[in-house]
Amino acid sequence: MIRSVRILLRLITIARTLARHDALAALEAVKIARTVVWIARLVSRRKAEGRPGQKLARALTELGPSFIKLGQFLSTRADLLGEEVAGDLAQLQDNLPPFSTAEARATIERELELSIDELFESFDDKPISAASIAQVHMAVTADGQEAAVKILRPGIEQAFEQDLALFYGLAELVESTQPSLRRLKPVEVVGTFEETVRLEMDLRMEAAGAAELSENFEDDFTYRVPAIDWQRTSRRVLTMERVGGIPMDDRDALIAAGHDLEEVLYKAAAIFFNQVFRDGLFHGDQHPGNMGVDTDGNIFAVDFGIMGRLDYRTRCSLADMLMATIARDYHRLAEVQVEAGYLPAGKSLDTYAQALRSVCEPIAGKPLQQISFARLLAQLLQLTESFDMPVQPQLLLLQKNMLMAEGVSRRLDPELNIWVLAQPLIEAWMREHRGPEARVRDGALQLLQSAERLPQLISNLEKVAHDVANGGLGLHPKTFEALQGRARTQKLSLVLGGLSLALGLLLAATVWF
C-alpha cells in the first residue's frame, strides 16, 4: 500500500513535468495512470516547440539523473519508441550542474585512502564536465603524468534505487493492465536497464572495459584508448591518461588542422568494424563527444561506461544476414534468423521472408553511398513486433552506434559512406569466417566439443544402468534388460558414429585445404 502511494505521488510529479514540456504522449501511449495524465493535460495545455522526442528529452533532463540514463537507454529501443523519438533521445545531453569540489576531494581521499596532495601534484578544482553519474577533473599525478579523474556523484546510488523502484512498479502495472504491451516485456526491460546502470556506477568496470578495448588495439596506432591508472582507481574514482584533440564531427576544425577527412573516416570505419566483427567488443556510446582526432590524425575515445558485446555466433549470423541481403535472397535471410533463434516456433518462414523483402527491396540496387545500414537494421528489428520476436539488446545497441557513425560520416563528407570504406574489411572477414574452409573448421570444432562430452555421456549411461541394476529405479526386470541392451547399443553407436564423423570431416578438410 505504501509503495503504491509513493508511486502515485511520484507519478504526479512526473506527469506535471511532462506536461510542462508538452511531453505527456509518453504516458498516454502506455495508458497508465490515465486519471493523473488527464488532469495534468487539463491543467497544462502548453504547446512546446520541437518534435515529441525532443520534448521528452527536455522533460527527462529536468527529472534528474536516473531519468536521463533511462532516456539514453531507451534511445536504443527504436522498436518501442519509433525511429524518430529514439533518435532524439540519442541526442539527450547528459549535462548537469557539478557537485562541489569539497565533495569531489572527499570522495577521492575516502576511496583511495590517501590525501589529494599524496596522490596528485596538482588537481583542478573546476570540473571539465559534469554528467548524471559522475564528473571529470583534470589533474597531474605525483609522478608527473597528466590525468583525467572521474568521480561518482555523491548519493547517486540511493537516488537510483528510489527511481528504480518506481520504474519496476510502472513496468509491473503495464504488464498487468495492458496485455497488448506484454510482448515488449517491460519488467525485463527495466531489469536490463538496472544492470546497465549498476555497471556504470562501478567505475572499476569502466576501467576494465577500457583496458580490454586497449589490449584489442595494442598494435593499432590509429585508435587510442587512454591508459588506466589502476593505483588511483576504485569503485567511485577512475583515473586515466589525459587525451585530447578535435571533436570527431568538427569538420571545419579538422580541415583547418590539415587532416584528410577521407583518411579520418577510413580509420573510423576500420576501427568500428574491428571492434564489432574482429573482437566482438565495441564502445557502446560512440557519439562525437566521446571521440576525437589527435594531432597525428589518429582517433581517440573516452567514456567507456557502456560497452557492447557480440559473441562469435551472433557475428556470424550478422555476416550471413548481410550476405543474404546483398544477394536479395530473402528466404535465406529468414532462415538465418530462424537458425539464430530470433523467429519463434510456429511462425511462417515464407511470410517472414515476404516481410523482409518489403523492407529490403526499396534499397536494392541503390549505390552504397545512398544506403543507411543503421536504418535498415532498425527496420529489420521493428519487424519483431509483427512476428512476436524476442528483442536482441546487443543488436539494438549496435544499431544505435551504427546510426551515430553514419551521422558523423555524413557531417564530415556527405559523398562518402563509412560502410563503403569498410567494405574490403567486411569482404575479407566473410571469406575468412564464412567461406567453405571456415565452415569445415567450425564443423571440426563442434565435433571436437562433442567428442569431449562423449566420455561424460557414456559415464551417465553407465551410472543409470548401475542404479537400475541396484534397484534404484524400481523397474520391471524385463524393462531393465531391454534398457540395458539399448544402453550398450547406444554406447557402441556413439563411439562408432563419432569416429565416422571425425573421419568424414578429416577427409573434407584435406579436400578444402
Side-chain angles (χ1 to χ4, degrees):
M1 179 64 183
I2 294 176
R3 183 189 177 195
S4 298
V5 171
R6 285 176 178 169
I7 289 176
L8 181 59
L9 292 174
R10 187 66 170 131
L11 263 177
I12 292 171
T13 301
I14 294 170
R16 288 176 58 193
T17 304
L18 292 173
R20 194 158 49 246
H21 291 276
D22 190 21
L24 278 169
L27 285 181
E28 290 170 335
V30 294
K31 301 176 183 178
I32 58 173
R34 294 184 180 183
T35 303
V36 172
V37 174
W38 180 78
I39 293 173
R41 175 72 77 184
L42 192 65
V43 171
S44 176
R45 295 183 177 276
R46 181 179 177 186
K47 296 294 182 183
E49 293 183 359
R51 297 185 297 271
Q54 294 172 326
K55 299 173 187 177
L56 181 59
R58 290 194 289 266
L60 293 176
T61 300
E62 183 177 329
L63 285 167
S66 300
F67 288 84
I68 292 173
K69 300 310 295 184
L70 180 64
Q72 292 175 328
F73 174 77
L74 290 175
S75 71
T76 67
R77 299 301 304 269
D79 59 316
L80 297 181
L81 305 176
E83 191 175 334
E84 184 183 89
V85 173
D88 286 333
L89 290 182
Q91 306 302 317
L92 189 61
Q93 294 299 308
D94 194 357
N95 297 322
L96 289 179
F99 54 89
S100 72
T101 302
E103 289 177 305
R105 286 173 169 262
T107 299
I108 294 171
E109 293 183 340
R110 184 171 56 251
E111 286 286 309
L112 303 180
E113 299 180 344
L114 289 171
S115 70
I116 290 290
D117 291 339
E118 290 175 293
L119 292 164
F120 301 105
E121 180 182 300
S122 65
F123 182 86
D124 190 346
D125 285 337
K126 184 179 181 181
I128 61 166
S129 67
S132 56
I133 295 289
Q135 68 186 32
V136 178
H137 293 254
M138 294 291 99
V140 177
T141 64
D143 51 359
Q145 299 297 314
E146 293 188 339
V149 186
K150 188 173 186 176
I151 308 151
L152 217 59
R153 278 189 175 274
I156 186 63
E157 296 96 336
Q158 293 80 1
F160 177 67
E161 291 295 338
Q162 292 175 2
D163 287 331
L164 189 63
L166 169 70
F167 298 151
Y168 271 117
L170 293 176
E172 291 165 3
L173 188 60
V174 169
E175 286 200 0
S176 63
T177 61
Q178 301 298 320
S180 63
L181 297 179
R182 287 176 192 156
R183 182 196 71 83
L184 301 176
K185 301 179 181 178
V187 174
E188 189 175 309
V189 169
V190 175
T192 304
F193 169 65
E194 176 186 6
E195 181 182 352
T196 301
V197 177
R198 287 197 190 283
L199 288 176
E200 278 197 78
M201 291 193 299
D202 186 341
L203 297 182
R204 294 170 301 185
M205 294 298 293
E206 179 176 344
E212 184 178 355
L213 190 61
S214 179
E215 287 177 5
N216 290 341
F217 285 83
E218 187 174 4
D219 299 322
D220 185 347
F221 300 106
T222 65
Y223 189 52
R224 186 177 176 189
V225 177
I228 303 299
D229 185 341
W230 288 102
Q231 302 305 312
R232 295 174 178 82
T233 293
S234 68
R235 188 175 64 85
R236 299 179 62 83
V237 177
L238 168 60
T239 304
M240 61 173 61
E241 173 191 10
R242 188 190 306 186
V243 294
I246 300 170
M248 190 71 187
D249 63 343
D250 193 338
R251 187 177 189 276
D252 293 338
L254 289 172
I255 293 173
H259 295 299
D260 184 327
L261 297 185
E262 183 171 347
E263 184 179 351
V264 168
L265 284 175
Y266 176 77
K267 290 177 181 177
I271 289 164
F272 191 93
F273 171 83
N274 285 328
Q275 287 185 31
V276 172
F277 280 93
R278 185 192 68 190
D279 306 324
L281 173 72
F282 60 93
H283 192 303
D285 195 17
Q286 300 187 71
H287 64 74
N290 285 340
M291 298 181 68
V293 181
D294 66 17
T295 53
D296 296 323
N298 296 320
I299 294 170
F300 65 88
V302 296
D303 195 351
F304 306 92
I306 301 174
M307 301 295 290
R309 290 187 183 274
L310 298 173
D311 59 30
Y312 182 70
R313 182 186 176 193
T314 301
R315 284 178 270 161
C316 288
S317 295
L318 281 173
D320 288 345
M321 284 190 276
L322 180 58
M323 291 171 69
T325 303
I326 292 172
R328 298 167 73 174
D329 186 346
Y330 303 115
H331 196 272
R332 175 56 187 155
L333 182 57
E335 283 181 338
V336 172
Q337 297 196 42
V338 169
E339 292 166 3
Y342 298 162
L343 189 67
K347 297 294 180 181
S348 169
L349 183 68
D350 291 334
T351 303
Y352 185 55
Q354 183 180 350
L356 292 172
R357 181 184 294 275
S358 73
V359 170
C360 298
E361 273 299 303
I363 67 168
K366 279 189 174 183
L368 286 176
Q369 287 89 339
Q370 298 178 21
I371 296 174
S372 168
F373 285 106
R375 287 194 168 85
L376 174 61
L377 181 56
Q379 290 176 0
L380 292 174
L381 292 171
Q382 285 171 8
L383 289 178
T384 60
E385 183 174 358
S386 302
F387 290 86
D388 295 323
M389 296 167 69
V391 172
Q392 307 298 321
Q394 72 278 22
L395 296 186
L396 293 169
L397 186 59
L398 174 63
Q399 185 268 333
K400 172 189 173 183
N401 281 276
M402 289 175 69
L403 197 59
M404 289 179 178
E406 285 183 348
V408 170
S409 174
R410 289 193 164 93
R411 279 196 290 274
L412 291 187
D413 191 337
E415 300 302 316
L416 283 176
N417 186 318
I418 193 169
W419 313 124
V420 175
L421 298 175
Q423 189 175 3
L425 296 172
I426 295 171
E427 291 172 348
W429 191 91
M430 286 183 177
R431 283 195 300 271
E432 181 179 353
H433 294 272
R434 304 310 292 155
E437 300 92 338
R439 293 181 187 275
V440 171
R441 286 198 304 269
D442 289 346
L445 179 60
Q446 291 174 8
L447 173 63
L448 179 61
Q449 292 170 343
S450 298
E452 289 173 347
R453 292 193 295 268
L454 189 59
Q456 184 62 48
L457 180 58
I458 294 172
S459 175
N460 290 342
L461 286 170
E462 291 175 341
K463 184 177 184 302
V464 170
H466 179 270
D467 289 344
V468 172
N470 289 280
L473 293 179
L475 298 175
H476 190 278
K478 290 186 177 180
T479 303
F480 164 64
E481 289 175 8
L483 284 174
Q484 198 172 35
R486 185 176 298 174
R488 284 194 296 268
T489 302
Q490 287 179 341
K491 178 177 178 180
L492 182 60
S493 297
L494 282 168
V495 174
L496 292 177
L499 288 173
S500 299
L501 187 55
L503 287 172
L505 280 171
L506 284 173
L507 287 171
T510 59
V511 171
W512 286 113
F513 296 111

